[in-house]
Amino acid sequence: MWSVFRRWRAAWKSRRERNFATLTPGSSFAHASVDDDDSEFEDDADLAERDEEEIGAAPGQRAARRRRMKGDRRYFGKDLWGTSARQRSAVFDEEKIRRFALPSLRDEREVAAWLGLPLARLRWFTHDRAADTTWHYVRYVVPKRSGGQRVILAPKRELKSLQRRALGDLVGKIPTAPAAHGFVPGRSITTNALSHVGKRVVLRLDLRDFFPSVTFPRVRGVFIAHGYSYAVASTLALLCTEYDREPFDRNGERFYVSVGPRHLVQGAPTSPALANLVAWRLDRRLTGLAAKHDFSYTRYADDLTFSGDDVAVVGRLITNVSRIVADERFTLNDAKTRVARRSRRQVVTGLVVNDQVGAPRQLRRRLRAILHNAQRDARGDNPAVRKPAAPGETVSRARGLVAFVNAVNPDHAAPLWAALRRVQIASDDARDDAPG
């Protein structure tokens, strides 16, 4: 890991000597706390003058450097080299911008003004560093139901507010493919399951490492495809992606060193919508493949579902899906491929779809048991051998689960609502009968 840091340090010194017009990890910005929202940040002219003095730039060179600082960057970090000539030559396209009424951002200064930031502060957030003393994210892990751990990178307060602005006023305006149901307004696990009701066979597949598969160049490509220049698209993509990092202590100072490629992270508000946009071509191709075999196709985040009545084509369908997924630079998790016929319970995103969309029977049974016990607790006639649960906590949790069942299938929820009302009546009667 220390060798990675040394290479980064050498590249950084080389960049300063070449007078790159960009922020560097050695600036005071790199050591400021992102939690201190009231901290003072220098403007672009002050930043440029200080850097020029550090590298010994002549007075004539300083004026040229200031002019470069006012223009868009072409360099965003050494690990982001290798961009195709097509992307580097991308310019602002007003016609594409107007198509979805996206913000008209012609250069980095307009991006900074749109976000309500000084340009220097925006560039501090959007310069790629393989190792840095400041990290704009908080890392934690949560266990997966299937085993292992899921890495969550939660952006700190100011960066999260910038990402929310990008989501609400830009990314969220671009429509997703009709097959995408995850993280799309007006769609849900219920709408995802509806397309697969009453089919003879349901095929479920899973994409491995869905968010990490959506790397920085792919996100930048989305912004370029919708009309933004190379510099603006790179800035927006840097704002919405990050590395997983590992801490490394050297001479009493902590550095956060990048691990793997820069990608969409779970925890950023913009990640689900951007992942849907990157997967737009995948969804369109899989929709066409499904239609060819008279099947239905939907995707909820990393869950792919196909359903139809011709059981014989399932094997061929899996082969073609694998080819298309690999072609679109995603990876299937073969261990999670499932095929369910009508004779078995067919589940799509947690909902049963054999005859109608409904919550699993086990959940409804468990809810009836919870409510029955809660009613007995309220009346005080539970057997002494069973320690009753806290009535308020049990009923509160049950109410949320009943609301979920109701959203999926109101007919299934009707008897559960009646049981909830009986619990409430029993609780009111117990309070009235209580002494004092």
Side-chain angles (χ1 to χ4, degrees):
M1 188 179 297
W2 177 236
S3 63
V4 173
F5 172 70
R6 285 203 305 268
R7 289 197 300 271
W8 166 79
R9 188 74 177 178
W12 168 63
K13 289 181 178 179
S14 176
R15 291 199 301 272
R16 288 187 68 89
E17 292 171 358
R18 291 197 300 269
N19 292 347
F20 276 117
T22 183
L23 291 178
T24 63
S27 71
S28 63
F29 296 117
H31 300 277
S33 169
V34 296
D35 289 326
D36 184 7
D37 290 340
D38 296 325
S39 59
E40 293 292 335
F41 277 77
E42 301 154 285
D43 61 23
D44 301 326
D46 293 337
L47 177 69
E49 184 174 354
R50 192 200 59 222
D51 285 351
E52 287 153 7
E53 291 174 353
E54 289 180 4
I55 63 175
Q61 294 176 315
R62 295 181 184 179
R65 182 176 175 84
R66 287 195 184 96
R67 287 194 297 271
R68 288 196 300 272
M69 281 293 295
K70 292 180 180 180
D72 281 341
R73 289 174 291 175
R74 305 298 293 176
Y75 179 82
F76 295 87
K78 76 179 186 65
D79 284 350
L80 303 185
W81 282 117
T83 310
S84 67
R86 180 181 178 183
Q87 285 203 355
R88 286 197 305 272
S89 62
V91 296
F92 180 80
D93 190 325
E94 183 106 25
E95 183 177 349
K96 291 181 179 179
I97 294 295
R98 288 179 177 175
R99 183 181 180 189
F100 300 120
L102 303 181
S104 180
L105 307 174
R106 298 174 180 274
D107 53 36
E108 284 185 279
R109 287 188 174 274
E110 292 190 0
V111 175
W114 174 62
L115 293 172
L117 291 175
L119 179 58
R121 190 169 178 86
L122 173 65
R123 287 179 172 176
W124 177 62
F125 275 117
T126 58
H127 183 76
D128 181 88
R129 302 174 182 87
D132 201 357
T133 55
T134 298
W135 199 14
H136 303 301
Y137 289 79
V138 176
R139 185 186 192 275
Y140 60 96
V141 295
V142 295
K144 294 182 179 180
R145 288 185 300 176
S146 58
Q149 294 180 326
R150 188 184 310 278
V151 176
I152 305 295
L153 296 183
K156 294 182 180 178
R157 182 172 53 186
E158 184 177 3
L159 178 58
K160 180 178 286 188
S161 69
L162 300 178
Q163 291 175 346
R164 284 175 174 165
R165 176 70 187 275
L167 174 63
D169 294 349
L170 197 161
V171 179
K173 291 184 175 182
I174 305 173
T176 59
H181 289 261
F183 318 109
V184 179
R187 305 179 199 174
S188 64
I189 59 172
T190 304
T191 62
N192 183 67
L194 279 171
S195 299
H196 308 289
V197 173
K199 303 295 180 66
R200 289 186 62 191
V201 61
V202 173
L203 168 64
R204 292 187 293 132
L205 305 103
D206 182 84
L207 298 177
R208 187 193 304 274
D209 299 329
F210 182 49
F211 282 178
S213 298
V214 184
T215 55
F216 166 80
R218 304 180 75 175
V219 176
R220 178 174 55 192
V222 167
F223 291 119
I224 289 176
H226 289 88
Y228 291 107
S229 67
Y230 169 78
V232 170
S234 298
T235 299
L236 294 172
L238 283 164
L239 201 65
C240 300
T241 59
E242 178 55 305
Y243 300 100
D244 193 5
R245 295 179 184 265
E246 291 183 359
F248 178 77
D249 295 324
R250 177 72 176 177
N251 296 330
E253 191 171 16
R254 170 154 291 193
F255 294 87
Y256 297 93
V257 181
S258 62
V259 179
R262 193 179 185 104
H263 60 271
L264 294 181
V265 298
Q266 286 190 310
T270 47
S271 290
L274 283 169
N276 279 338
L277 296 179
V278 170
W280 186 89
R281 180 179 162 90
L282 171 70
D283 289 334
R284 297 291 292 178
R285 294 183 68 182
L286 293 181
T287 298
L289 174 66
K292 180 180 178 180
H293 298 288
D294 200 22
F295 268 57
S296 298
Y297 162 73
T298 62
R299 179 180 60 81
Y300 193 96
D302 55 359
D303 293 326
L304 314 180
T305 307
F306 297 82
S307 64
D309 295 321
D310 189 354
V311 179
V313 305
V314 170
R316 187 160 66 253
L317 191 63
I318 293 175
T319 300
N320 289 329
V321 169
S322 300
R323 176 181 54 80
I324 292 174
V325 167
D327 194 34
E328 295 298 326
R329 292 179 290 168
F330 291 101
T331 305
L332 281 180
N333 186 351
D334 294 330
K336 291 188 177 182
T337 298
R338 299 287 185 272
V339 179
R341 301 193 184 190
R342 286 293 301 274
S343 57
R344 298 174 53 193
R345 189 179 65 162
Q346 297 171 322
V347 179
V348 177
T349 50
L351 304 178
V352 179
V353 297
N354 289 68
D355 299 306
Q356 59 180 329
V357 176
R361 186 175 300 171
Q362 293 89 333
L363 173 61
R364 287 180 278 142
R365 286 175 176 171
R366 183 159 60 90
L367 275 174
R368 284 196 295 269
I370 291 173
L371 295 173
H372 176 70
N373 290 332
Q375 185 178 0
R376 298 181 68 178
D377 285 343
R379 291 200 308 256
D381 59 355
N382 268 336
V385 295
R386 184 178 67 82
K387 182 179 179 180
E393 179 181 344
T394 301
V395 173
S396 176
R397 173 169 172 75
R399 184 176 289 108
L401 291 173
V402 172
F404 165 72
V405 174
N406 185 73
V408 174
N409 190 319
D411 292 339
H412 290 169
L416 298 174
W417 285 127
L420 262 176
R421 285 193 293 272
R422 289 195 295 271
V423 171
Q424 188 61 52
I425 291 172
S427 299
D428 293 342
D429 290 344
R431 280 196 298 269
D432 292 341
D433 293 341

